[in-house]
Amino acid sequence: MFRVGAGALGAVAEELSRLAPTGVVVVADARAAELYGPPAPAPLVPIPPGEACKSVAEWSRVIDRFVALGLDRGAVVVAFGGGAALDLAGFAAATYLRGVRWIAVPTTLLAQVDAAHGGKTGIDHLEAKNLVGAFHPPEAVVADTDLLRTLPRREVRSGLAEVVKHGVIGAPELLQRVGREAPAAFVEEAARVKIAIVARDPSERGERAVLNLGHTLGHAIERASGYALAHGEAVAVGLRAACAIAERHCGFAGRAEVEAALDRCELPARVLVDRDAARAALRHDKKRAGARLRLALPVALGDVRLFDDVPEALVESELLARTGG
Ligand SMILES: NC(=O)c1ccc[n+]([C@@H]2O[C@H](COP(=O)([O-])OP(=O)(O)OC[C@H]3O[C@@H](n4cnc5c(N)ncnc54)[C@H](O)[C@@H]3O)[C@@H](O)[C@H]2O)c1
Ligand SMILES: [Zn+2]
């Protein structure tokens, strides 16, 4: 169930009464909780704002609180915050008593259009982000677009990069709307692109990989920056690179429209990160994926496909053109 719009927070109570839980706990990003209070009248477990919460130590602390509260298998976890808080709280719900139900209440643009949907939960490891996790879809996603008003500009831009990505994958008209309308106006449409894809491929056996558009190069750049870049900044560079590669590899004709949309969102075309580190990160990704680099590329706006046959030299030259010191 996806409840979205201005004032949607009220739907949390409705969803809880539908689920008839034996107990409720709110796991909330401390900053979001400070700004808005808990989204349900239940014990609150605050977690550190942002990525810092996605650790084994925080997961363990949250589970300790569930135990202390005596939550049983009929309990429901309400997760409140950005993608990081949802990933940790969802993972705690996935693992406590081998899985209890949860509701995702995303408070950032990125989480409302992307992270809250699709059931991926998890935490980070020193070796890599999201190394430990589980597929455990929430019973409901409640996205109140009023909460986006307090979001710092950089976080808004980060979310807009994912909106552009969803536009290229399945809603090209979004490319004309980003940077012109307030994000609240298109959260639902952008989210529905991902919701439709994960409904067809919940466990990422095939089609779902198109959601990696811009992320293969994006992750390499993000990692090479030592995570100094915002995720969306790295993804924007990755999206531009994917469009340029697609132009040459499969005759993609929509590159100018994508670039214009990213420009309007003040997202970068090039970043100052170490080229060798970016190359090494790309190779590392490839090793994990199994020898061949599989890239999601647009064939046309609204039609993204997976390619195993992109020449490495083409990928490397794009990476080089967009990085450097
Ligand atoms: N599970 C998935 O499918 C999936 C998909 C994409 C991203 N992710 C994960 O999401 C995370 C990134 O999420 P994010 O971009 O939402 O950032 P985030 O969760 O790190 O939050 C960013 C910052 O915004 C603050 N914040 C949250 N809501 C706010 C509000 N309404 N007003 C003001 N400040 C607010 C937070 O305290 C934090 O400091 C990453 O860990 C990434 O791995 C998961
Ligand atoms: Zn992303």
Side-chain angles (χ1 to χ4, degrees):
M1 182 91 66
F2 181 35
R3 314 281 296 256
V4 55
L9 219 45
V12 173
E14 288 166 32
E15 291 298 320
L16 280 173
S17 68
R18 178 174 72 84
L19 297 173
T22 53
V24 179
V25 63
V26 174
V27 178
D29 177 290
R31 174 78 185 131
E34 173 189 74
L35 284 166
Y36 298 103
L44 172 70
V45 182
I47 52 175
E51 197 70 21
C53 74
K54 285 176 63 173
S55 69
V56 173
E58 284 302 322
W59 168 79
S60 169
R61 205 179 56 81
V62 169
I63 296 290
D64 286 348
R65 289 293 308 276
F66 290 1
V67 174
L69 289 165
L71 299 178
D72 64 21
R73 299 215 51 199
V76 168
V77 176
V78 177
F80 188 56
L86 267 41
D87 275 3
L88 169 70
F91 186 58
T95 46
Y96 182 65
L97 301 178
R98 298 194 186 83
V100 297
R101 295 168 297 169
W102 69 294
I103 297 176
V105 187
T107 64
T108 65
L109 179 58
L110 182 138
Q112 293 192 350
V113 302
D114 185 351
H117 310 282
K120 283 190 187 176
T121 70
I123 55 178
D124 298 332
H125 183 273
L126 281 180
E127 173 63 23
K129 281 182 62 173
N130 301 319
L131 199 64
V132 177
F135 281 99
H136 187 55
E139 300 296 319
V141 177
V142 179
D144 187 336
T145 52
D146 281 344
L147 306 186
L148 302 178
R149 288 193 195 138
T150 50
L151 208 56
R153 180 70 200 147
R154 195 172 185 201
E155 301 295 339
V156 173
R157 287 198 342 247
S158 204
L160 287 172
E162 307 289 0
V163 173
V164 170
K165 181 190 86 171
H166 288 179
V168 176
I169 293 172
E173 64 283 5
L174 283 172
L175 300 177
Q176 294 302 325
R177 299 176 66 187
V178 293
R180 293 193 171 113
E181 298 173 31
F186 46 73
V187 163
E188 175 162 12
E189 192 175 353
R192 297 248 178 239
V193 172
K194 178 169 180 184
I195 292 169
I197 290 170
V198 297
R200 293 193 292 265
D201 180 14
S203 49
E204 201 160 26
R205 290 184 200 284
E207 183 193 356
R208 186 168 174 166
V210 302
L211 292 167
N212 289 335
L213 176 67
H215 280 61
T216 307
L217 285 144
H219 279 147
I221 290 167
E222 191 180 13
R223 199 174 149 103
S225 80
Y227 297 96
L229 284 173
H231 176 69
E233 291 164 350
V235 166
V237 176
L239 281 172
R240 293 180 199 263
C243 289
I245 292 168
E247 197 171 66
R248 300 195 31 202
H249 191 66
C250 49
F252 175 55
R255 180 177 167 192
E257 199 175 327
V258 179
E259 298 252 19
L262 293 168
D263 289 346
R264 256 187 277 119
C265 299
E266 297 162 28
L267 284 158
R270 199 167 184 280
V271 283
L272 297 180
V273 302
D274 185 76
R275 285 178 169 158
D276 293 332
R279 252 203 227 119
L282 192 65
R283 265 185 234 119
H284 182 269
D285 238 33
K286 192 172 85 174
K287 222 163 63 192
R288 274 216 290 171
R292 280 211 78 84
L293 193 62
R294 166 165 289 190
L295 279 186
L297 296 179
V299 175
L301 290 176
D303 183 3
V304 171
R305 300 186 198 170
L306 299 170
F307 290 86
D308 286 321
D309 60 348
V310 182
E312 275 190 37
L314 182 53
V315 179
E316 288 238 342
S317 75
E318 270 304 317
L319 195 65
L320 291 184
R322 293 172 188 283
T323 54

